[in-house]
Amino acid sequence: MTTPDMSWGAHAPGMAPMPGWQVPGLQAPGVQAPGMTPPSVPRQPTAGSAATRSGAFTPEAARQDIPVLQRPVNGRPVVWLDNGATTQKPRQVIETLAAYYATANSNIHRGAHTLAREATEMYEGGRAAVAGFLGAPSPDTIVFTRGTTEAVNLVAQSWGRANLGPGDEILVSTLEHHSNIVPWQMIAKERRARVVPIPLLPDGSIDQDAYADLLSFRTQLVAISHASNVLGTVPPVKEMTALAHRYNAKVLVDGAQAVAHFPVDVQDLDSDFYVFSGHKLYAPTGIGAMYGKPEVLAAMPPWQGGGNMIDQVEFGRVTYAPVPHCFEAGTGHISGVVGLKAAIDWLTSFGREAVAAYETALLGHAQQALAAVPGLTVLGSAAEKIAVLTFTLAGQDPMTVARRLDQDGIAVRAGHHCAQPSLRHYGLEAATRASLALYNTAEEVDQLAAALTQMQAQAAV
Ligand code: PLP
């Protein structure tokens, strides 16, 4: 058992620290992440920096940190290939959450007391960590949300309501998740604007010629995914953004499936908005973030009213807190932010480039292994893609395939994956999806391929 290390020894009076706890995400007030007061953006650890683990990245090192991967499912070690839905959590995140509640819980911003001050510093430290993670210029460009869905709705309801009018167009790629389609449909209906789909090519990439043709001075916003949750496609977001900006259109990038898999730099992409969910990034559910360009956020009205987001309230008039607080009404998910920072620290400690290179190699292995399964067709073969393999198996219903794999302890997802337009591009209503993460191994992929091959062999007799 490791030496108890509460990092700042701040266990509640009379409460012994729990044995074996190490709480990398919690830091002593006074030894906060650089730039707590005034906030600034800590640099992400890079290969060779003190915060980076020594040696090459291995999935085994990551697996050791993930307790749930030790549990059996149906008598076999679980093979978690449902990372597109949510990722499993490292003990560094789990323990940070437990330690936060055991030693530091308080509401933020309001209190003058010690715990409120500490919780506030942790919350704002989480904001600085997210800013560093995304390459954002300042913590003030980061708004915490429940996740990607809420972040897109925030932009649609705040920016959209203020900026869209009759005849305006919102270009939305066909490979978007429903959470980057429906909020635009809702606000378009209200503002009498139009949602215009950007078509796909047969390989699942966005048709760039069609995109260039669709852009016009009617285009107010382009909504694109940084990585598709069904096809794995990674569109040329930087180039698409530059093109949109020629028409003065804003660009919202859905990073839900991107941030865990490759490094992101919102300034290099020149994104106006970049949104993601913590739970797909090894962090808790219920927390996510939206990056917005400072000048864009400054011109946006608040979207929800309540505590924390105001400056002065009188019955005749209200003034609001500065950005980003004016977009965070009510008590935030404080422990979620603390857990999100722990997850970012955990992921970046492996070196982002090393993780991306490993996952690309694992994708290559998976593509080969699945190609050998009789009757299996993988959807999406764009040149740039993350390790998402959505497939059909001839003669087999996708849900039955997922249930049969579960009997072997292999977790995959089946259905429409909340991206019906992507599937209908292939004439399908449902498919089975294996989505890989840094802790998955070639052996696990081989287990999947073997189970599918066996399923086909049994169906043939
Ligand atoms: N965008 C993409 C590409 C996704 O894959 C998902 C979830 O699967 C979402 C958005 C929605 O994320 P959340 O449900 O965490 O808000």
Side-chain angles (χ1 to χ4, degrees), residues 275-318:
V275 299
F276 74 92
S277 301
H279 70 99
K280 296 181 197 288
L281 180 67
Y282 313 105
T285 50
I287 186 68
M290 177 197 81
Y291 158 80
K293 269 188 185 162
E295 63 276 21
V296 180
L297 290 179
M300 278 166 53
W303 77 304
Q304 290 180 334
N308 285 335
M309 53 77 73
I310 55 89
D311 173 32
Q312 296 290 322
V313 178
E314 294 165 25
F315 276 103
R317 119 182 217 282
V318 57

Side-chain angles (χ1 to χ4, degrees), residues 84 147-150 177 179 225 227 229 254 256-257 277 279-280:
T148 306
T149 304
E150 190 175 66
H177 188 278
S179 64
S225 190
N229 67 315
D254 172 355
Q257 296 292 341
S277 301
H279 70 99
K280 296 181 197 288

Side-chain angles (χ1 to χ4, degrees), residues 219-232:
T219 312
Q220 295 299 328
L221 185 127
V222 176
I224 30 173
S225 190
H226 207 181
S228 151
N229 67 315
V230 173
L231 308 177

